[in-house]
Amino acid sequence: MCGRTACNLRCETYCKATSYKKRNDTLYCQPEWLDEMNGNFEFKQSNNIAPTDVTPILVSGEEFVGYPSRILTPMIWGMIPPWHKGNFNNHGLSTNNCRIENVTNSKLYSEPLTNGKRCIVICEGFYEWKTTEGVGKKKPYFIHMPQKNGVSVYDTNAWESAQWTEQSGWNGPSLIQLAGIYNKWKSPHGEVYSYSVITMESSKTFSQLHHRIPAVLDNEQLIEDWLDTRRVSESRAISMLRPIDNLMWYEVSSIVNNSRNKSEDCNKPISKIVNKSSTFMTSWLAGKNKKTDSNDEDQMRKKQKN
């Protein structure tokens, strides 16, 4: 499953990190960022994105709004049923994930899938919780793509300072790109776009963490085929999805358990998080010792005078 992600980069950085070559072209280009399609639902950077939050979604511009290339646009996480009336987040269904086993015959997902509403959910990584044996307590982990040259996926500066050129494309860290389905919902105030992440049974490697895994698109050919709904039918597209084995993960702090906690520490390894209370105590003790040492010196001076 997938119930929390990290999307903490600037829009411009996501455009660079999802750059690609058009067919028969030798240079890289970036998707265009298009945010006016989803009304007042604005993407806000966070290392703790939860369902009903808004995230960047990669879609075929040709299918979405008649654009000739790919675009990035903000959408609500958790598909809103088109028949729903009322507030967008009170339809009562859990739609952040859709199971691949049921997607073709689902009342909610089969129609947008047939109509070519395939998308790609991009993020630095996602979170999963593993039950600790014999304890019953779940520990959170951050899952991401393998990174080159020892790059730390949680290091925002590594993303924001990375270079991009038309000749070489993106030279920064690797996003994780998940297969998704989106749809349009008509609210009293206009059209709203929302999406769900496709999940499946885990690979042998990932099953040690969780029995379900998002459908990861781990190469450019898969990405192109998933977005090209005119050339690749829905049945063929679904058959291409496989659980992958090369994901990486590490344990993170339980602060991520609360979706309202948007701390920069959410996706850092536990070993990299500075214990602020411990740091404060160390500083306080250092100051106290310094004061004590100063008093001792004063006492010594007085004794020497006497």
Side-chain angles (χ1 to χ4, degrees), residues 3 11 43 49 52 59 100 136 144 169 189 192 197 206 210 271 285 292:
C11 303
F43 164 60
I49 297 286
T52 72
V59 294
I100 195 171
H144 60 91
H189 307 290
V192 176
V197 177
F206 195 76
H210 200 275
S271 61
L285 288 173
T292 301

Side-chain angles (χ1 to χ4, degrees), residues 144-159 171-174 248 250 269 272:
H144 60 91
M145 296 299 291
Q147 302 297 326
K148 58 186 178 181
N149 302 326
V151 171
S152 298
V153 70
Y154 56 86
D155 181 5
T156 305
N157 185 60
W159 295 88
N171 293 314
S174 299
M248 309 291 290
Y250 53 81
K272 299 295 182 181

Side-chain angles (χ1 to χ4, degrees), residues 129-174:
W129 281 257
K130 179 183 179 181
T131 302
T132 306
E133 293 183 11
V135 180
K137 185 178 180 181
K138 290 187 175 182
K139 291 184 178 181
Y141 291 81
F142 187 68
I143 299 93
H144 60 91
M145 296 299 291
Q147 302 297 326
K148 58 186 178 181
N149 302 326
V151 171
S152 298
V153 70
Y154 56 86
D155 181 5
T156 305
N157 185 60
W159 295 88
E160 300 295 4
S161 63
Q163 299 298 309
W164 180 90
T165 65
E166 289 184 333
Q167 290 74 28
S168 61
W170 172 248
N171 293 314
S174 299

Side-chain angles (χ1 to χ4, degrees), residues 26-300:
T26 59
L27 298 178
Y28 285 89
C29 63
Q30 299 177 22
E32 182 177 346
W33 182 270
L34 190 68
D35 59 6
E36 62 264 26
M37 297 300 297
N38 221 17
N40 296 322
F41 293 99
E42 181 184 359
F43 164 60
K44 296 180 181 179
Q45 298 172 225
S46 171
N47 275 327
N48 197 359
I49 297 286
T52 72
D53 285 342
V54 177
T55 77
I57 298 298
L58 186 65
V59 294
S60 167
E62 187 176 37
E63 295 294 336
F64 191 66
V65 286
Y67 277 49
S69 58
R70 300 176 191 178
I71 62 170
L72 277 169
T73 188
M75 292 189 190
I76 296 172
W77 186 7
M79 189 181 291
I80 306 168
W83 58 83
H84 174 64
K85 305 294 182 183
N87 196 2
F88 78 96
N89 59 1
N90 69 356
H91 51 76
L93 299 178
S94 178
T95 60
N96 53 300
N97 297 157
C98 58
R99 298 172 68 94
I100 195 171
E101 297 88 346
N102 306 326
V103 69
T104 57
N105 54 25
S106 164
K107 178 183 178 183
L108 179 59
Y109 301 118
S110 60
E111 184 175 345
L113 179 64
T114 301
N115 292 335
K117 291 183 171 62
R118 302 198 299 254
C119 65
I120 297 178
V121 182
I122 62 170
C123 55
E124 292 90 275
F126 65 95
Y127 299 90
E128 196 53 81
W129 281 257
K130 179 183 179 181
T131 302
T132 306
E133 293 183 11
V135 180
K137 185 178 180 181
K138 290 187 175 182
K139 291 184 178 181
Y141 291 81
F142 187 68
I143 299 93
H144 60 91
M145 296 299 291
Q147 302 297 326
K148 58 186 178 181
N149 302 326
V151 171
S152 298
V153 70
Y154 56 86
D155 181 5
T156 305
N157 185 60
W159 295 88
E160 300 295 4
S161 63
Q163 299 298 309
W164 180 90
T165 65
E166 289 184 333
Q167 290 74 28
S168 61
W170 172 248
N171 293 314
S174 299
L175 293 169
I176 193 167
Q177 305 195 48
L178 314 175
I181 302 172
Y182 73 92
N183 207 352
K184 182 170 59 177
W185 175 64
K186 292 184 178 181
S187 77
H189 307 290
E191 296 177 339
V192 176
Y193 289 87
S194 57
Y195 70 91
S196 297
V197 177
I198 297 177
T199 66
M200 58 184 64
E201 287 292 325
S202 287
S203 62
K204 184 177 180 180
T205 302
F206 195 76
S207 62
Q208 60 184 290
L209 190 59
H210 200 275
H211 67 283
R212 302 289 294 183
I213 187 174
V216 180
L217 304 171
D218 61 347
N219 61 69
E220 178 56 34
Q221 188 61 58
L222 273 175
I223 291 170
E224 181 180 344
D225 290 346
W226 184 254
L227 291 178
D228 194 343
T229 59
R230 298 190 180 188
R231 180 176 56 86
V232 181
S233 67
E234 65 267 22
S235 58
R236 182 184 163 199
I238 290 295
S239 68
M240 296 186 309
L241 303 180
R242 295 282 188 276
I244 68 171
D245 276 316
N246 65 333
L247 294 176
M248 309 291 290
W249 60 83
Y250 53 81
E251 186 179 349
V252 295
S253 169
S254 59
I255 60 174
V256 75
N257 293 354
N258 188 338
S259 62
R260 289 175 294 183
N261 190 346
K262 307 298 185 182
S263 167
E264 293 291 322
D265 289 336
C266 283
N267 71 335
K268 289 182 181 177
I270 286 182
S271 61
K272 299 295 182 181
I273 298 177
V274 177
N275 188 320
K276 293 189 173 97
S277 60
S278 174
T279 303
F280 172 79
M281 183 59 70
T282 301
S283 300
W284 180 79
L285 288 173
K288 186 177 181 181
N289 290 336
K290 186 176 181 181
K291 185 176 181 181
T292 301
D293 292 343
S294 178
N295 290 337
D296 290 344
E297 290 176 2
D298 289 342
Q299 291 297 324
M300 287 295 293

